[in-house]
Amino acid sequence: MCLFAYVDESGQPDQLDRGPYVLVSVVIDEGDVDYVSSQISGFINALPSRYGVGGVVEFHTIDVVTGSNEWRGVSEDVRARVFNDFAELISGLNFLLNIVVVRAAGNVRVNKPDRVRRYAIMNLIERLFMAKSLYPNQSRVVMVIDSLGGVLNDRIRNDIEYAIKNSRARPTYKLLKAFESSVEEPPLQLADYVAYVVRRVFKGQLQHGAFSFGRAFQLFEGRIRRCPNGNTYHGCGLKVWEIR
Protein backbone atom coordinates (compact mmCIF):
# COMPACT_ATOMS: atom_id res chain seq x y z
CA MET A 1 0.00 0.00 0.00
CA CYS A 2 1.13 3.55 -0.66
CA LEU A 3 -0.07 7.14 -0.86
CA PHE A 4 -0.92 9.07 -4.01
CA ALA A 5 -0.23 12.80 -4.16
CA TYR A 6 -2.07 14.48 -7.03
CA VAL A 7 -0.33 17.73 -7.96
CA ASP A 8 -1.60 20.70 -9.93
CA GLU A 9 -1.00 24.44 -10.14
CA SER A 10 -2.88 27.67 -10.76
CA GLY A 11 -1.31 30.84 -12.08
CA GLN A 12 2.21 31.19 -13.44
CA PRO A 13 5.45 31.94 -11.59
CA ASP A 14 6.37 34.60 -14.17
CA GLN A 15 3.06 36.44 -13.75
CA LEU A 16 2.98 37.22 -10.04
CA ASP A 17 1.90 40.77 -10.89
CA ARG A 18 -1.42 39.22 -11.95
CA GLY A 19 -1.88 37.16 -8.82
CA PRO A 20 -0.21 34.41 -6.80
CA TYR A 21 1.21 31.16 -8.11
CA VAL A 22 -0.40 28.23 -6.29
CA LEU A 23 0.84 24.65 -6.10
CA VAL A 24 -1.34 21.95 -4.51
CA SER A 25 -0.98 18.30 -3.60
CA VAL A 26 -4.03 16.20 -2.80
CA VAL A 27 -2.85 13.19 -0.79
CA ILE A 28 -5.07 10.12 -0.92
CA ASP A 29 -4.47 6.72 0.61
CA GLU A 30 -4.29 3.98 -2.00
CA GLY A 31 -7.36 2.31 -0.53
CA ASP A 32 -9.45 5.46 -1.11
CA VAL A 33 -8.31 6.34 -4.64
CA ASP A 34 -10.93 4.29 -6.50
CA TYR A 35 -13.78 5.73 -4.43
CA VAL A 36 -12.61 9.34 -4.84
CA SER A 37 -12.14 8.79 -8.58
CA SER A 38 -15.59 7.22 -8.97
CA GLN A 39 -17.26 10.10 -7.11
CA ILE A 40 -15.66 12.71 -9.37
CA SER A 41 -16.35 10.71 -12.54
CA GLY A 42 -19.93 10.14 -11.43
CA PHE A 43 -20.39 13.88 -10.95
CA ILE A 44 -19.13 14.56 -14.50
CA ASN A 45 -21.29 11.80 -15.98
CA ALA A 46 -24.39 13.24 -14.29
CA LEU A 47 -23.95 16.75 -15.72
CA PRO A 48 -26.40 16.21 -18.63
CA SER A 49 -29.21 14.83 -16.46
CA ARG A 50 -28.72 17.10 -13.42
CA TYR A 51 -27.77 20.39 -15.06
CA GLY A 52 -28.50 19.99 -18.77
CA VAL A 53 -24.82 20.33 -19.67
CA GLY A 54 -23.38 17.86 -22.19
CA GLY A 55 -20.00 17.22 -23.76
CA VAL A 56 -17.93 17.69 -20.58
CA VAL A 57 -15.27 15.03 -19.96
CA GLU A 58 -13.48 16.63 -16.99
CA PHE A 59 -14.00 19.33 -14.37
CA HIS A 60 -11.69 22.15 -15.46
CA THR A 61 -12.50 24.86 -12.94
CA ILE A 62 -11.45 27.92 -14.92
CA ASP A 63 -13.77 26.86 -17.77
CA VAL A 64 -16.71 26.46 -15.38
CA VAL A 65 -16.15 29.89 -13.84
CA THR A 66 -15.45 31.79 -17.07
CA GLY A 67 -17.92 29.94 -19.29
CA SER A 68 -15.23 28.76 -21.68
CA ASN A 69 -14.94 25.74 -23.99
CA GLU A 70 -17.68 23.17 -23.19
CA TRP A 71 -19.31 25.68 -20.81
CA ARG A 72 -19.75 28.38 -23.42
CA GLY A 73 -23.39 29.43 -23.56
CA VAL A 74 -24.23 27.89 -20.17
CA SER A 75 -25.78 30.47 -17.85
CA GLU A 76 -23.79 31.77 -14.89
CA ASP A 77 -26.43 30.51 -12.47
CA VAL A 78 -26.08 26.94 -13.75
CA ARG A 79 -22.29 27.12 -13.76
CA ALA A 80 -22.27 28.49 -10.21
CA ARG A 81 -24.57 25.68 -9.08
CA VAL A 82 -22.20 23.12 -10.62
CA PHE A 83 -19.22 24.86 -8.99
CA ASN A 84 -20.91 24.86 -5.57
CA ASP A 85 -22.12 21.27 -5.84
CA PHE A 86 -18.61 20.10 -6.72
CA ALA A 87 -17.33 21.80 -3.56
CA GLU A 88 -19.99 20.00 -1.55
CA LEU A 89 -19.00 16.70 -3.16
CA ILE A 90 -15.28 16.95 -2.44
CA SER A 91 -15.87 18.18 1.12
CA GLY A 92 -17.10 14.67 1.96
CA LEU A 93 -14.11 12.84 0.47
CA ASN A 94 -11.08 11.58 2.37
CA PHE A 95 -7.91 13.44 1.37
CA LEU A 96 -5.18 15.68 2.80
CA LEU A 97 -4.07 19.01 1.34
CA ASN A 98 -0.64 20.59 1.21
CA ILE A 99 -0.62 24.01 -0.45
CA VAL A 100 2.14 26.44 -1.42
CA VAL A 101 1.21 30.02 -2.33
CA VAL A 102 3.86 32.24 -3.95
CA ARG A 103 3.14 35.94 -4.18
CA ALA A 104 5.12 39.10 -4.85
CA ALA A 105 5.29 42.05 -2.50
CA GLY A 106 4.65 45.35 -4.23
CA ASN A 107 5.96 45.65 -7.78
CA VAL A 108 8.61 42.94 -7.52
CA ARG A 109 9.47 41.53 -10.94
CA VAL A 110 10.29 37.84 -11.28
CA ASN A 111 13.30 37.40 -13.56
CA LYS A 112 13.80 33.68 -13.01
CA PRO A 113 10.35 32.02 -12.97
CA ASP A 114 11.82 28.52 -13.38
CA ARG A 115 13.63 29.00 -10.09
CA VAL A 116 10.41 30.13 -8.43
CA ARG A 117 8.64 26.95 -9.59
CA ARG A 118 11.57 24.83 -8.45
CA TYR A 119 11.52 26.23 -4.92
CA ALA A 120 7.73 26.05 -4.77
CA ILE A 121 8.02 22.35 -5.62
CA MET A 122 10.65 21.99 -2.89
CA ASN A 123 8.30 23.58 -0.35
CA LEU A 124 5.51 21.23 -1.42
CA ILE A 125 7.70 18.13 -1.17
CA GLU A 126 8.95 19.18 2.26
CA ARG A 127 5.33 19.26 3.36
CA LEU A 128 4.78 15.77 2.00
CA PHE A 129 7.75 14.58 4.02
CA MET A 130 6.42 16.31 7.14
CA ALA A 131 3.06 14.55 6.81
CA LYS A 132 4.68 11.18 7.64
CA SER A 133 3.32 11.19 11.19
CA LEU A 134 -0.20 10.99 9.76
CA TYR A 135 0.65 7.90 7.71
CA PRO A 136 3.21 5.98 9.82
CA ASN A 137 2.67 2.69 7.99
CA GLN A 138 3.25 4.07 4.49
CA SER A 139 6.70 4.23 2.94
CA ARG A 140 5.99 5.35 -0.64
CA VAL A 141 4.29 8.30 -2.28
CA VAL A 142 3.41 8.32 -5.97
CA MET A 143 3.29 11.92 -7.17
CA VAL A 144 0.74 12.10 -9.99
CA ILE A 145 1.30 15.33 -11.90
CA ASP A 146 -1.00 16.83 -14.52
CA SER A 147 1.01 16.30 -17.69
CA LEU A 148 2.19 19.47 -19.44
CA GLY A 149 4.04 17.74 -22.27
CA GLY A 150 7.55 16.43 -22.93
CA VAL A 151 9.94 19.33 -22.20
CA LEU A 152 7.91 20.75 -19.31
CA ASN A 153 7.47 17.32 -17.77
CA ASP A 154 11.24 16.78 -17.93
CA ARG A 155 11.80 20.13 -16.25
CA ILE A 156 9.38 19.33 -13.43
CA ARG A 157 10.91 15.86 -13.03
CA ASN A 158 14.33 17.50 -12.61
CA ASP A 159 12.89 20.01 -10.15
CA ILE A 160 11.47 17.17 -8.05
CA GLU A 161 14.83 15.41 -7.98
CA TYR A 162 16.48 18.68 -6.93
CA ALA A 163 13.85 19.17 -4.21
CA ILE A 164 14.35 15.69 -2.79
CA LYS A 165 18.13 16.16 -2.71
CA ASN A 166 18.04 19.64 -1.16
CA SER A 167 14.97 19.41 1.06
CA ARG A 168 15.26 20.98 4.48
CA ALA A 169 12.95 18.24 5.77
CA ARG A 170 14.28 14.73 6.22
CA PRO A 171 13.00 12.48 3.41
CA THR A 172 10.44 10.16 4.99
CA TYR A 173 9.00 8.56 1.85
CA LYS A 174 10.31 7.08 -1.33
CA LEU A 175 8.86 9.39 -3.99
CA LEU A 176 7.83 8.03 -7.37
CA LYS A 177 6.74 10.28 -10.24
CA ALA A 178 4.00 9.84 -12.84
CA PHE A 179 2.71 12.32 -15.43
CA GLU A 180 -0.91 11.64 -16.33
CA SER A 181 -3.94 13.20 -17.99
CA SER A 182 -6.51 14.69 -15.63
CA VAL A 183 -9.20 12.90 -17.66
CA GLU A 184 -7.62 9.55 -16.83
CA GLU A 185 -6.85 10.52 -13.22
CA PRO A 186 -9.95 12.29 -11.80
CA PRO A 187 -8.28 13.30 -8.50
CA LEU A 188 -6.18 15.71 -10.57
CA GLN A 189 -9.43 17.57 -11.21
CA LEU A 190 -9.84 17.90 -7.45
CA ALA A 191 -6.32 19.38 -7.24
CA ASP A 192 -7.18 21.76 -10.09
CA TYR A 193 -10.29 22.94 -8.22
CA VAL A 194 -8.46 23.53 -4.94
CA ALA A 195 -5.57 25.37 -6.63
CA TYR A 196 -7.93 27.64 -8.57
CA VAL A 197 -10.06 28.48 -5.50
CA VAL A 198 -7.01 29.14 -3.31
CA ARG A 199 -5.58 31.49 -5.95
CA ARG A 200 -8.85 33.43 -6.09
CA VAL A 201 -9.02 33.67 -2.30
CA PHE A 202 -5.44 34.94 -2.06
CA LYS A 203 -6.24 37.52 -4.71
CA GLY A 204 -8.93 38.76 -2.34
CA GLN A 205 -11.75 37.56 -4.59
CA LEU A 206 -14.02 35.81 -2.12
CA GLN A 207 -17.04 36.47 -4.34
CA HIS A 208 -17.27 36.95 -8.10
CA GLY A 209 -20.76 37.24 -9.50
CA ALA A 210 -22.64 34.08 -8.53
CA PHE A 211 -19.42 32.28 -7.54
CA SER A 212 -18.47 32.20 -3.86
CA PHE A 213 -14.80 31.26 -3.67
CA GLY A 214 -14.78 31.98 0.06
CA ARG A 215 -17.49 29.40 0.71
CA ALA A 216 -15.77 26.82 -1.51
CA PHE A 217 -12.54 27.37 0.44
CA GLN A 218 -14.34 26.87 3.74
CA LEU A 219 -15.73 23.54 2.54
CA PHE A 220 -12.28 22.02 1.95
CA GLU A 221 -10.33 24.06 4.53
CA GLY A 222 -10.62 21.24 7.04
CA ARG A 223 -8.55 19.01 4.73
CA ILE A 224 -5.46 21.26 4.95
CA ARG A 225 -2.76 19.54 7.01
CA ARG A 226 -2.55 21.13 10.43
CA CYS A 227 0.56 21.81 12.49
CA PRO A 228 1.45 19.32 15.27
CA ASN A 229 -0.22 21.51 17.92
CA GLY A 230 -3.44 21.36 15.89
CA ASN A 231 -4.19 25.07 16.29
CA THR A 232 -3.31 26.21 12.77
CA TYR A 233 -2.27 25.04 9.33
CA HIS A 234 -0.30 28.19 8.44
CA GLY A 235 3.34 27.32 7.81
CA CYS A 236 2.47 23.61 7.80
CA GLY A 237 -0.16 22.44 5.34
CA LEU A 238 -0.36 25.96 3.92
CA LYS A 239 2.91 27.71 3.12
CA VAL A 240 2.86 31.32 1.91
CA TRP A 241 6.11 32.43 0.28
CA GLU A 242 6.29 36.15 -0.34
CA ILE A 243 8.96 37.34 -2.75
CA ARG A 244 10.38 40.74 -1.91
Side-chain angles (χ1 to χ4, degrees):
M1 297 287 285
C2 67
L3 301 174
F4 286 81
Y6 296 88
V7 179
D8 205 356
E9 62 183 3
S10 184
Q12 295 296 329
D14 61 340
Q15 297 176 357
L16 296 185
D17 57 325
R18 303 181 189 178
Y21 170 63
V22 177
L23 196 60
V24 165
S25 74
V26 176
V27 178
I28 305 175
D29 188 274
E30 184 177 8
D32 293 324
V33 168
D34 285 346
Y35 179 75
V36 171
S37 297
S38 68
Q39 290 296 297
I40 295 171
S41 295
F43 185 88
I44 300 300
N45 293 336
L47 287 174
S49 60
R50 291 182 62 185
Y51 308 96
V53 179
V56 178
V57 296
E58 65 174 321
F59 198 100
H60 198 208
T61 312
I62 191 171
D63 289 343
V64 177
V65 174
T66 61
S68 305
N69 297 320
E70 299 95 334
W71 298 89
R72 191 181 305 277
V74 179
S75 72
E76 182 176 305
D77 286 345
V78 170
R79 289 186 283 110
R81 186 155 58 93
V82 172
F83 176 88
N84 292 335
D85 289 352
F86 192 78
E88 293 281 358
L89 171 74
I90 66 175
S91 70
L93 301 178
N94 189 19
F95 60 89
L96 181 75
L97 291 173
N98 286 293
I99 303 168
V100 176
V101 177
V102 185
R103 60 185 180 185
N107 295 318
V108 172
R109 184 171 182 176
V110 176
N111 296 316
K112 297 180 179 179
D114 289 344
R115 184 172 295 181
V116 171
R117 178 179 273 113
R118 167 170 284 191
Y119 282 95
I121 289 173
M122 181 183 294
N123 273 282
L124 191 71
I125 286 177
E126 286 174 350
R127 273 141 191 82
L128 283 174
F129 288 155
M130 289 188 285
K132 176 66 174 178
S133 61
L134 300 176
Y135 304 98
N137 297 323
Q138 306 288 16
S139 60
R140 295 185 302 161
V141 175
V142 179
M143 294 186 69
V144 184
I145 303 151
D146 195 10
S147 180
L148 300 173
V151 174
L152 286 174
N153 286 356
D154 289 342
R155 185 176 300 165
I156 291 172
R157 186 180 291 107
N158 291 337
D159 287 345
I160 291 172
E161 292 298 332
Y162 179 91
I164 294 171
K165 182 178 179 180
N166 294 279
S167 169
R168 291 166 295 181
R170 181 177 63 86
T172 52
Y173 295 106
K174 179 180 180 181
L175 291 185
L176 308 174
K177 301 168 288 296
F179 293 85
E180 302 290 349
S181 161
S182 55
V183 176
E184 300 298 327
E185 294 288 347
L188 284 171
Q189 299 171 45
L190 195 165
D192 170 89
Y193 186 91
V194 170
Y196 184 88
V197 169
V198 169
R199 185 169 188 264
R200 285 282 197 160
V201 168
F202 272 83
K203 288 179 72 174
Q205 299 174 344
L206 299 182
Q207 186 80 33
H208 177 74
F211 295 91
S212 177
F213 302 114
R215 178 179 178 275
F217 181 84
Q218 289 176 340
L219 284 173
F220 61 68
E221 185 180 23
R223 296 289 184 268
I224 302 174
R225 184 178 61 83
R226 304 190 75 83
C227 298
N229 61 20
N231 294 328
T232 183
Y233 49 70
H234 290 283
C236 297
L238 174 63
K239 167 69 176 179
V240 180
W241 170 23
E242 193 163 272
I243 298 177
R244 298 181 176 272

